[in-house]
Amino acid sequence: MLNREIIENIFKTALVRGDFAEIFFEEKDTFSLTLSSQKIEKVLSGSDFGVGIRILDGSNVVYGYTNNLDDENLLLITKKLADSLEKKETSAEGRVGEAKVETTQHKIKRMPDTVPVGEKVALLKKIDRVAREYDEKISQVEVSYFDTVQNIKIINSEGLNTSDTRVHTRISAKCIAKDGENVQTGSSAPGGQKGFEFYSEDVDVTEVAKEAARQALTLLSADDAPSKEMTVIMENGFGGVIFHEACGHGLEATSVAKKLSVFTDKIGKKVASSCVTAIDDGTITNGWGSMNIDDEGNRGQKNILIKDGILQGYMIDRLGARRMKGESTGSGRRESYKFAPTSRMTNTFIAPGTSTLENMLKGVEFGLYAKSMGGGSVNPTTGDFNFAVLEGYLIENGKITTPVKGATLIGNGPEILQKIDMVGDNLSYAQGVCGADSGNIPADLGQPRIRVSSITVGGRK
């Protein structure tokens, strides 16, 4: 850990040319297991540590990192960073505040590193067994587990000096169902910002296994999806990936401050259907994307992005606040000390409405029910997207009928927001890993069931 003298010297060196300096110290332990073909195929564990140094000067920023914590090396890096900024006649003042440890709202009962490896292996074998027993057509099962314990310390030249600990764990089951030449896959991968108690208090691992197996078996009997524009009902949970990717990133200061987002300068304007309220909430207890403090030391916040279709605000980090002349919203995040923080989502979701599935189906002569969504691609500047539907069904004359495979949803995020005509009452979250400028971070994707009046569905028919 860095002592007070070296911290003061880093600030003194940085503030010769910058007006703000920050030190981000991180220690992270990771552990993962993979079981494939009923055998433990991979076991990985490791520790990483390092320091990131950031200097701001107005709306300019420089960043460097190292895992060589020698005083001489840290000061050399700081000087090189500072030298890349414009020279000033006078230096800014900095101070080192009193150290504190953040009070956590994300209680951990069983730290993962205290759980015997054998107990984790038993968890994977149980999932494998349940999935294989689900049906004789389940031909292959792969189960993986991981946990991380991240300790961070953030010290800045404005007197912030705080520490926090974050614990995440997740399990993933993938099943392959085979019927002759027809081979299909299914998956389920719950996770949480919790300790090992997650697998006894929050998740029934037998249901994780059954869900992955059920999805694979369902697709064995699925017909090819039709290709046309139609009404689509998207189920809750991971269905929120479309809002996250096609709209959420456009509400981050990273793109808004540079006027690269379609949502730039639209505060107070109608950007979605009146039934849409969208929220980014980093305060949800034990939420996958929650945090006591963000990676700039600001408390996590609940930010209303869109209310009743009207744009309310953006997700803003410190640099974005400077560029936008606004305030941070506790949205500065980074994967590790190797990345400078940028504005990022935490737990982002569409708020629940009142519509039931029965109401949504009424009047739909022909459409698609997307029960489970997969990955896709998005143009972050325009919001144009295409996403795969992992498990879909036709809607015919107001009823969910035949399972279909190979469906793709093609559209534009801001346009789809205007076409959401019904929002369900069954909000739930699914865990994702969001990749962007500041690396890969855990982020919850959430929504209740929603109905989009018209969207292009790509298929083979």
Side-chain angles (χ1 to χ4, degrees):
M1 190 61 72
L2 310 181
N3 62 45
R4 189 179 187 90
E5 181 180 1
I6 182 62
I7 295 169
E8 289 176 339
N9 285 334
I10 288 173
F11 287 168
K12 185 177 180 180
T13 303
L15 297 178
V16 169
R17 298 196 177 191
D19 60 47
F20 171 85
E22 173 193 81
I23 302 168
F24 181 88
F25 178 81
E26 177 192 29
E27 290 179 321
K28 185 184 238 180
D29 294 327
T30 60
F31 177 85
S32 65
L33 278 170
T34 300
L35 182 147
S36 183
S37 301
Q38 300 178 284
K39 297 178 181 178
I40 294 297
E41 190 173 75
K42 192 183 301 180
V43 182
L44 297 173
S45 66
S47 299
D48 193 13
F49 71 95
V51 166
I53 298 172
R54 182 170 64 148
I55 307 173
L56 300 183
D57 181 35
S59 59
N60 297 314
V61 59
V62 289
Y63 189 79
Y65 66 89
T66 180
N67 57 13
N68 179 352
L69 304 191
D70 291 345
D71 292 358
E72 184 179 336
N73 179 59
L74 293 173
L75 288 175
L76 177 62
I77 290 173
T78 305
K79 187 174 187 311
K80 286 183 176 180
L81 292 172
D83 285 349
S84 64
L85 295 170
E86 188 174 341
K87 189 174 182 179
K88 294 181 176 178
E89 293 184 1
T90 58
S91 298
E93 296 288 331
R95 64 186 177 88
V96 182
E98 293 299 319
K100 71 170 186 175
V101 177
E102 294 294 328
T103 301
T104 184
Q105 69 178 74
H106 312 295
K107 303 296 185 185
I108 305 298
K109 295 180 181 177
R110 288 190 77 190
M111 287 296 286
D113 56 2
T114 67
V115 178
V117 173
E119 192 170 345
K120 298 174 182 177
V121 171
L123 198 68
L124 270 59
K125 288 185 174 180
K126 183 176 183 180
I127 292 174
D128 180 89
R129 176 177 54 77
V130 172
R132 291 179 184 276
E133 290 176 353
Y134 189 83
D135 192 281
E136 61 183 12
K137 292 179 180 175
I138 298 298
S139 62
Q140 181 59 282
V141 179
E142 181 176 288
V143 193
S144 58
Y145 165 94
F146 92 88
D147 59 56
T148 64
V149 179
Q150 181 194 37
N151 295 297
I152 63 167
K153 188 174 184 64
I154 305 169
I155 310 168
N156 71 30
S157 57
E158 294 178 347
L160 178 77
N161 187 348
T162 189
S163 301
D164 194 22
T165 297
R166 301 152 177 176
V167 179
H168 290 86
T169 185
R170 189 175 196 180
I171 202 156
S172 172
K174 296 180 181 178
C175 292
I176 295 176
K178 187 175 182 181
D179 186 8
E181 297 298 317
N182 187 5
V183 178
Q184 302 294 334
T185 62
S187 62
S188 181
Q193 188 172 179
K194 299 200 78 172
F196 203 73
E197 72 275 9
F198 181 67
Y199 303 105
S200 57
E201 296 181 353
D202 299 85
V203 171
D204 181 344
V205 296
T206 63
E207 292 303 316
V208 174
K210 291 176 181 176
E211 173 60 18
R214 183 202 62 77
Q215 192 178 90
L217 284 169
T218 298
L219 292 175
L220 280 182
S221 61
D223 198 1
D224 288 336
S227 179
K228 63 183 297 186
E229 190 154 323
M230 63 182 81
T231 298
V232 172
I233 297 174
M234 276 183 269
E235 252 312 341
N236 61 357
F238 201 72
V241 68
I242 292 183
F243 180 83
H244 175 102
E245 296 291 355
C247 302
H249 283 298
L251 295 169
E252 294 170 338
T254 307
S255 56
V256 175
K258 297 176 183 176
K259 300 190 180 298
L260 296 177
S261 168
V262 294
F263 296 109
T264 301
D265 298 328
K266 289 190 176 178
I267 296 289
K269 296 183 179 178
K270 188 172 177 60
V271 297
S273 165
S274 297
C275 63
V276 175
T277 291
I279 298 166
D280 182 80
D281 188 355
T283 70
I284 297 172
T285 301
N286 294 107
W288 178 246
S290 294
M291 51 200 181
N292 297 306
I293 55 172
D294 71 0
D295 290 319
E296 297 179 316
N298 301 305
R299 298 297 301 180
Q301 292 185 24
K302 180 178 182 179
N303 298 306
I304 307 298
L305 305 172
I306 299 170
K307 182 174 177 54
D308 301 330
I310 307 299
L311 183 62
Q312 305 292 310
Y314 305 111
M315 292 163 281
I316 306 173
D317 62 320
R318 177 181 287 270
L319 181 61
R322 289 186 174 208
R323 290 173 172 170
M324 297 168 65
K325 303 187 188 311
E327 297 290 331
S328 166
T329 59
S331 304
R333 302 190 69 191
R334 64 181 112 193
E335 177 182 333
S336 71
Y337 69 92
K338 297 176 182 177
F339 297 84
T342 59
S343 54
R344 303 289 295 273
M345 287 172 270
T346 57
N347 308 300
T348 311
F349 58 93
I350 294 175
T354 58
S355 297
T356 64
L357 178 58
E358 182 181 14
N359 289 336
M360 289 184 178
L361 290 168
K362 282 181 181 176
V364 181
E365 292 185 2
F366 189 81
L368 180 72
Y369 170 60
K371 182 174 176 61
S372 178
M373 294 297 301
S377 63
V378 175
N379 181 328
T381 302
T382 64
D384 291 339
F385 67 80
N386 64 79
F387 280 91
V389 178
L390 289 184
E391 183 182 356
Y393 299 80
L394 293 181
I395 302 172
E396 298 171 290
N397 299 317
K399 294 183 179 178
I400 296 172
T401 59
T402 312
V404 292
K405 61 187 177 186
T408 302
L409 303 186
I410 303 164
N412 174 273
E415 290 179 5
I416 293 301
L417 282 179
Q418 303 282 2
K419 293 182 177 180
I420 297 174
D421 62 359
M422 301 184 86
V423 177
D425 55 0
N426 60 340
L427 170 65
S428 72
Y429 305 93
Q431 291 69 57
V433 177
C434 175
D437 290 349
S438 60
N440 298 319
I441 57 172
D444 253 346
L445 321 167
Q447 69 173 38
R449 183 185 303 118
I450 63 171
R451 190 175 83 173
V452 181
S453 60
S454 177
I455 185 171
T456 300
V457 176
R460 296 175 182 170
K461 280 189 175 179

